[in-house]
Amino acid sequence: MREYPYAFHVALDGNGLNGLEGRAGVCLFRYDPVTGDHSYKVSYFHGASGGHAPSVDPSRRVGFLGNTGQHLLFYDLATLEEVDRVSTLRFEVPDTTIKGSTHLVWLDDTQFVTAIGEHLWRFDVNRLTKAEVVAPHGLKVPHAMKRTASGRYIVYGGMDHPSRGEAREVGILDTVSGEVRTLTLPTTCWHVVCHPVLDVFYAVSFRVHPADRSDYAHWGMAWLRQYAFEIDAEQGQVLRHWVADRDVPAHINSDVTISDTELIFCTGGSHTVVLVDLETMTHHRLVDEHPGSLESWAYPRQSLNTLAESFMRANVVSNANLFAESFRVSRGSLIDGIYACQLSADQTLLFTANRGQNHISVYDYPSLELRDRIVMPELGEIDAGLSDWSDPRLGFHHSYLVSPDTPESPDSRDGPDSTSHPQRTAQAGEL
């Protein structure tokens, strides 16, 4: 098998509008920036659901597919064949089916921490049926998890709860003292990323409106201003924040990564990658993959499926605001946008995966010039049981980029982000 310098792992949740309820799979995209050669492989796992965020262990032996279906699922990095899975229901039963182990943080080559039910748990990949409770996580629905630069703090965002309401909180675990701190914020923040060298992290707002003003299981995209908060993990304090008025296309984010100079996150709602200047946290620039309002009808099966599933989520009459705001957020498009973005370890390439248009793009960084764009196969080519009119999207979601071995990269200690070498091993007295 040919060797490629880069391996872009993208979680797949199938062709539905609600990625928390769909399939569970992985797309492995290999790429050589010198020649432009590439290859890809797609695999879905039976009996699993809600594929959400992949992660690769520090020694690059096994991949993890975070999901909302209450499984810990691991796969072979080369073949994408399943190597192990365990039901998390044997440890703790959640109070809602969207509460799953969607993300994890590696402590060393085999040990990791993830959320199950109301607690953070520590596992070893060599004995998945044995686990230890670390601490109550303190959030309604914990989500993205990362480890700060020193390795001392595990930080995590939180989702709104279907019945307990809006979250507006992030969590901080001190791995030395075992203390968990909950920090209240003005907005819900699903996703976080850590500063390259400081025990500082960034939480990016994820703003929605609940169906019938109360049902956060069936939410719609809110056309409201967006935030990015810079937070000191040791002090549990917001240091600075960036705020964009509602006209800035920065709505409904997914992957968050970081360079030496910019906070970088992609938006599934607005079809962009937003890059915020870290020095000032006042300026930003955009990569825009919006197909255009009329051009989006070049994807008729995707657009019609979006309309159909939108009507299933909420009553049109009593929830007209959800439909109107979602249409405004997407700038008239009936398909979704970029769900995956990762920066290479040497900060020269930015990889993205566009869910609605079903393509993977590679940009030069920091110029943001498009280097390559590869249209991926339709779901019907993988699942022959689908009809010719079925939605063809593979269902791109979060991603993880394995880069060539280089000096330490900003994301090497984070969760589902780029990595260039093994993470720091937990020291004595820690978890």
Side-chain angles (χ1 to χ4, degrees):
M1 182 182 296
R2 170 172 175 174
E3 293 292 326
Y4 291 85
Y6 293 92
F8 190 39
H9 296 251
V10 188
L12 303 175
D13 56 45
N15 57 4
L17 180 62
N18 187 347
L20 302 179
E21 301 288 344
R23 303 180 183 221
V26 175
C27 171
L28 171 57
F29 177 80
R30 297 185 179 94
Y31 184 71
D32 186 335
V34 176
T35 64
D37 291 341
H38 65 271
S39 67
Y40 52 79
K41 183 177 179 63
V42 173
S43 180
Y44 292 92
F45 303 102
H46 299 297
S49 177
H52 194 78
S55 182
V56 174
D57 81 284
S59 61
R60 300 183 182 179
R61 294 181 302 169
V62 67
F64 167 76
L65 177 59
N67 60 85
T68 60
Q70 292 77 52
H71 281 114
L72 299 179
L73 195 156
F74 294 85
Y75 64 93
D76 182 273
L77 293 183
T79 65
L80 302 190
E81 293 181 0
E82 182 177 332
V83 296
D84 207 352
R85 83 166 75 180
V86 64
S87 168
T88 61
L89 300 181
R90 70 190 299 158
F91 306 109
E92 190 170 344
V93 178
D95 60 358
T96 170
T97 58
I98 70 168
K99 190 179 287 185
S101 302
T102 54
H103 300 74
L104 60 69
V105 164
W106 293 98
L107 300 176
D108 55 32
D109 288 353
T110 64
Q111 295 187 88
F112 62 90
V113 170
T114 190
I116 302 174
E118 299 302 314
H119 295 85
L120 298 172
W121 291 73
R122 181 174 62 185
F123 286 83
D124 190 302
V125 292
N126 297 317
R127 49 185 185 92
L128 288 176
T129 59
K130 307 295 182 182
E132 302 174 26
V133 172
V134 175
H137 53 65
L139 302 192
K140 294 180 176 66
V141 183
H143 198 59
M145 305 178 69
K146 301 293 177 71
R147 198 174 183 197
T148 60
S150 72
R152 176 165 180 166
Y153 301 97
I154 293 175
V155 298
Y156 45 98
M159 298 166 56
D160 303 319
H161 193 283
S163 60
R164 291 159 59 187
E166 191 175 7
R168 298 190 296 110
E169 58 195 6
V170 293
I172 304 170
L173 168 67
D174 186 330
T175 64
V176 175
S177 69
E179 176 189 5
V180 171
R181 179 180 301 172
T182 300
L183 176 63
T184 301
L185 296 172
T187 65
T188 291
C189 295
W190 288 26
H191 304 120
V192 297
V193 74
C194 293
H195 190 279
V197 296
L198 305 175
D199 278 344
V200 166
F201 69 102
Y202 300 86
V204 185
S205 65
F206 194 102
R207 309 196 68 183
V208 304
H209 287 314
D212 295 323
R213 278 67 175 176
S214 60
D215 183 4
Y216 278 95
H218 298 93
W219 49 264
M221 299 186 293
W223 191 48
L224 297 170
R225 64 175 176 264
Q226 298 297 323
Y227 290 77
F229 304 97
E230 182 182 70
I231 302 170
D232 185 309
E234 180 180 5
Q235 301 298 323
Q237 180 184 46
V238 175
L239 302 177
R240 301 182 296 169
H241 73 277
W242 170 84
V243 61
D245 66 75
R246 63 184 182 180
D247 289 315
V248 175
H251 302 271
I252 308 299
N253 55 79
S254 185
D255 268 345
V256 188
T257 184
I258 197 167
S259 73
D260 292 337
T261 59
E262 292 177 304
L263 171 67
I264 305 168
F265 62 92
C266 62
T267 69
S270 297
H271 302 260
T272 63
V273 178
V274 183
L275 303 96
V276 180
D277 173 55
L278 286 178
E279 182 177 2
T280 65
M281 285 200 79
T282 59
H283 305 296
H284 73 274
R285 54 188 184 140
L286 298 173
V287 172
D288 196 344
E289 292 189 12
H290 192 275
S293 301
L294 296 178
E295 289 82 354
S296 67
W297 281 105
Y299 306 91
R301 289 176 288 167
Q302 295 94 316
S303 297
L304 290 172
N305 189 65
T306 297
L307 284 176
E309 293 206 20
S310 296
F311 293 145
M312 295 176 193
R313 290 169 68 93
N315 183 287
V316 179
V317 176
S318 60
N319 293 279
N321 66 304
L322 297 184
F323 293 90
E325 290 198 55
S326 294
F327 198 63
R328 189 63 184 259
V329 164
S330 68
R331 294 180 285 166
S333 174
L334 293 177
I335 58 175
D336 37 20
I338 307 171
Y339 275 70
C341 71
Q342 295 297 337
L343 188 66
S344 63
D346 62 3
Q347 301 187 25
T348 62
L349 298 174
L350 181 68
F351 289 73
T352 69
N354 190 305
R355 179 188 177 94
Q357 298 179 61
N358 206 42
H359 64 227
I360 289 176
S361 302
V362 183
Y363 295 88
D364 288 322
Y365 184 86
S367 71
L368 302 182
E369 294 182 6
L370 180 64
R371 173 186 285 259
D372 271 310
R373 175 162 292 160
I374 295 90
V375 177
M376 300 301 289
E378 295 187 358
L379 183 57
E381 297 178 32
I382 297 158
D383 184 350
L386 293 178
S387 69
D388 292 339
W389 277 98
S390 294
D391 188 335
R393 290 175 288 189
L394 297 176
F396 293 131
H397 218 109
H398 286 290
S399 62
Y400 191 107
L401 179 63
V402 178
S403 296
D405 287 320
T406 64
E408 184 169 349
S409 69
D411 296 321
S412 63
R413 294 189 183 94
D414 288 342
D417 280 309
S418 307
T419 184
S420 62
H421 71 285
Q423 299 176 359
R424 168 184 176 273
T425 301
Q427 300 298 312
E430 297 183 356
L431 286 178

